[in-house]
Amino acid sequence: MTPPAGHTVLWHSLFTMTSPSSHTDILAPSPGTLLNIVTQFAADLGTMTDLTTIGNRIIKELCEAGGTTHGALFLLDREHECYRRASMVGPVAPALVPPTLAMDHPLPRHLLATNRIMTQGNAPADLQDTDSEVGARAAMESMQALRIVPHINKGRLIAFSLLGAAQPIPEENSPTRFLLAALAQTATNALDTIVLYEDLHRSHLLMKRTDRLKSLETIAGGFAHEIRNPLTSIKTFIQLAPERKDDPQFIQEFSKVVLDDVYRIERLIQEILDYARYMEPKLTEEDFNDIVASCLYFIDVKADSHGIKIEKELASDLPRVMLDRQQIKQVLLNLFLNAMDSMARAGGRLRVRTYKLVKPGGSIWVNIEIEDTGEGIQETNIEHIFDPFFTTKHESGEHEGTGLGLTIVHQIIQEHHGEIRVKSSIGVGTTFFVSLPALPA
Ligand SMILES: Nc1ncnc2c1ncn2[C@@H]1O[C@H](COP(=O)(O)OP(=O)(O)OP(=O)(O)O)[C@@H](O)[C@H]1O
Ligand SMILES: [Mg+2]
């Protein structure tokens, strides 16, 4: 939806007809107009989900209401204790507007202390001559701002809008101030919601990353085992090279083997780095069996040492899938590690089967079944296993669980538009079923 065009003009013409000193007179002509502008603004912000769009809309609306033409929105970055320039609209001179402003800079301090819109012209009347006031005015001047609107929520300055214009702005009358304040408050509410939402999103990412780093321990075990062979061959070559340096056949053949081994180690290191590093989800067309095999490979050593036999049955006719390779690895590793934990005490069998499934509607899915012969899940616990922090692995067990593994598995599968189910019986074992939509042939 677009904002009502030219509402400032209408607003000003309505109010210049009335006496600015009479509050009743000022509001009398158009409470409806005011309400419309603010309601429309609130409704528009409600449909927006990303910070830049919201920031741009806020600056535009505040400019239109107060006769300025351009500006920037600064948003609180709690982590780095500063205000960060989040969006700029119109002909702002970026050199004048810094990308960040420290939280204890006089400008934000002054805005928070007064909770008032600062306007270039009203300095003398407002001047309290405090340090922060003087500093704030100086900053305002150096940034060529004509107006600064604070956005304060629950006693916290969550953002401020810096507004400017090439021409002097019209002197502020009460209705303009009133409108600006109403719009500022609406903007504050929207910003607060989006910041909360982004915080939540960040915690999710952090959770995923923590979980991923946890399974790195297992991967590192597999890695150490895996590079032993190539390292041995490299070492042998180096030891033999001095005495066989004149044997061209030896040098030629062995250096090829050694080079392949070095490439193999490089590939493994890259896989581990990709896995550990957080990256934005990246969907690529993948061979699902290939990912399953690479995860099984990493848990092989651990399984062996716990007397767990791995059986794999990977379908040869599996269609390709669009997925985030590292995230799906995280899913599989979590499921494999849970299965192994359940068999850690008595050993057992981990059976991993992939197959293609055509659903009644004709859609094609790639499925994986992960079946263990472990201790099983209590019936009363089944409905909680995907809950954050639900764990039965307390310190007494092999390791202390965080209870985040399956929460993350569930989240990743959902993001891939897949499904996950579980079947378990005590003393017999547990099977997890995961389905992912396949790419059309
Ligand atoms: N294959 C399984 N066999 C038996 N119980 C399981 C299995 N998979 C999950 N569970 C149960 O579900 C709970 C939650 O699993 P989840 O992976 O979320 O956390 P966790 O394994 O306890 O902790 P973490 O993953 O941090 O090590 C486990 O504590 C366990 O009780
Ligand atoms: Mg787990």
Side-chain angles (χ1 to χ4, degrees):
M1 270 192 273
T2 49
H7 60 65
T8 321
V9 177
L10 170 65
W11 182 255
H12 281 298
S13 59
L14 283 171
F15 287 101
T16 43
M17 292 186 293
T18 60
S19 154
S21 59
S22 155
H23 188 69
T24 337
D25 280 350
I26 285 164
L27 290 181
S30 64
T33 312
L34 169 65
L35 203 62
N36 273 348
I37 295 169
V38 180
T39 313
Q40 182 68 62
F41 181 49
D44 283 1
L45 291 184
T47 61
M48 296 171 182
T49 50
D50 85 288
L51 203 51
T52 315
T53 322
I54 290 189
N56 290 351
R57 180 73 166 86
I58 289 172
I59 299 295
K60 274 189 195 143
E61 191 73 30
L62 290 174
C63 281
E64 210 163 323
T68 47
T69 51
H70 56 266
L73 180 85
F74 278 78
L75 200 70
L76 176 62
D77 176 346
R78 269 177 301 156
E79 206 179 318
H80 299 97
E81 302 201 341
C82 68
Y83 289 87
R84 197 170 290 285
R85 204 174 61 199
S87 52
M88 294 207 286
V89 176
V92 188
L96 295 176
V97 182
T100 59
L101 220 61
M103 250 169 110
D104 58 0
H105 183 280
L107 178 62
R109 273 199 290 130
H110 178 70
L111 290 170
L112 183 63
T114 57
N115 192 8
R116 287 179 66 181
I117 296 173
M118 291 175 75
T119 306
Q120 190 54 247
N122 66 5
D126 275 350
L127 198 65
Q128 293 160 10
D129 221 10
T130 58
D131 274 0
S132 65
E133 166 91 43
V134 174
R137 292 276 164 207
M140 201 171 173
E141 209 161 303
S142 72
M143 293 191 267
Q144 294 184 354
L146 295 181
R147 186 174 281 131
I148 299 187
V149 181
H151 301 285
I152 296 182
N153 197 27
K154 299 185 199 105
R156 205 171 57 162
L157 181 72
I158 60 168
F160 56 88
S161 301
L162 195 137
L163 309 170
Q167 308 286 328
I169 46 172
E171 201 169 315
E172 225 170 56
N173 53 22
S174 302
T176 307
R177 263 201 292 280
F178 193 64
L179 177 60
L180 278 170
L183 293 174
Q185 190 52 51
T186 310
T188 306
N189 296 345
L191 286 170
D192 197 46
T193 312
I194 197 99
V195 167
L196 269 178
Y197 175 79
E198 294 212 335
D199 274 356
L200 192 70
H201 181 64
R202 244 197 309 276
S203 339
H204 270 145
L205 293 182
L206 197 66
M207 255 167 59
K208 269 192 202 163
R209 182 166 162 73
T210 313
D211 178 72
R212 197 177 277 193
L213 291 177
K214 220 162 51 98
S215 39
L216 261 185
E217 192 187 322
T218 311
I219 293 199
F223 174 73
H225 181 79
E226 184 49 30
I227 60 169
R228 202 162 292 150
N229 287 345
L231 276 183
T232 308
S233 97
I234 295 167
K235 194 167 132 197
T236 313
F237 176 67
I238 292 170
Q239 279 168 342
L240 291 177
E243 64 190 69
R244 306 281 294 274
K245 62 178 187 310
D246 298 325
D247 176 350
Q249 198 186 351
F250 168 84
I251 298 290
Q252 199 183 2
E253 280 174 15
F254 225 133
S255 46
K256 191 183 168 305
V257 172
V258 164
L259 197 62
D260 283 348
D261 285 338
V262 170
Y263 286 149
R264 196 157 143 213
I265 294 174
E266 262 180 8
R267 266 200 314 276
L268 277 165
I269 291 175
Q270 196 50 51
E271 281 269 313
I272 292 184
L273 287 179
D274 284 351
Y275 184 77
R277 194 181 310 134
Y278 165 72
M279 285 173 296
E280 284 296 324
K282 199 171 68 189
L283 297 186
T284 43
E285 191 186 319
E286 297 282 349
D287 174 350
F288 188 64
N289 280 341
D290 181 50
I291 302 175
V292 176
S294 108
C295 288
L296 283 175
Y297 188 67
F298 280 125
I299 61 160
D300 206 34
V301 187
K302 190 170 174 173
D304 218 33
S305 69
H306 284 91
I308 297 166
K309 190 168 171 290
I310 296 180
E311 280 178 21
K312 63 174 182 199
E313 215 178 286
L314 307 183
S316 54
D317 64 341
L318 219 52
R320 293 176 78 80
V321 193
M322 280 305 278
L323 48 80
D324 180 304
R325 188 179 168 89
Q326 303 307 333
Q327 287 197 350
I328 293 299
K329 268 195 194 171
Q330 190 169 3
V331 164
L332 295 174
L333 278 170
N334 271 327
L335 295 173
F336 293 165
L337 292 177
N338 278 346
M340 295 211 299
D341 282 346
S342 79
M343 300 185 281
R345 237 171 285 155
R349 178 179 53 87
L350 171 65
R351 183 162 164 267
V352 178
R353 184 167 89 90
T354 61
Y355 57 96
K356 172 177 139 185
L357 185 79
V358 183
K359 289 204 175 164
S363 59
I364 301 171
W365 296 72
V366 164
N367 279 28
I368 182 165
E369 266 177 37
I370 298 156
E371 181 191 309
D372 65 58
T373 56
E375 56 204 17
I377 306 172
Q378 298 281 356
E379 215 179 311
T380 47
N381 286 346
I382 284 255
E383 59 180 305
H384 298 296
I385 58 171
F386 294 105
D387 294 349
F389 307 111
F390 176 83
T391 181
T392 55
K393 296 168 198 170
H394 302 292
E395 273 167 281
S396 52
E398 191 197 0
H399 71 271
E400 192 179 359
T402 61
L404 286 179
L406 285 181
T407 311
I408 286 158
V409 164
H410 190 260
Q411 197 193 342
I412 294 176
I413 295 298
Q414 265 195 335
E415 285 165 3
H416 280 80
H417 308 291
E419 288 166 10
I420 180 163
R421 284 183 303 115
V422 60
K423 183 182 88 183
S424 186
S425 56
I426 289 293
V428 180
T430 304
T431 309
F432 278 89
F433 305 85
V434 176
S435 314
L436 293 170
L439 278 174

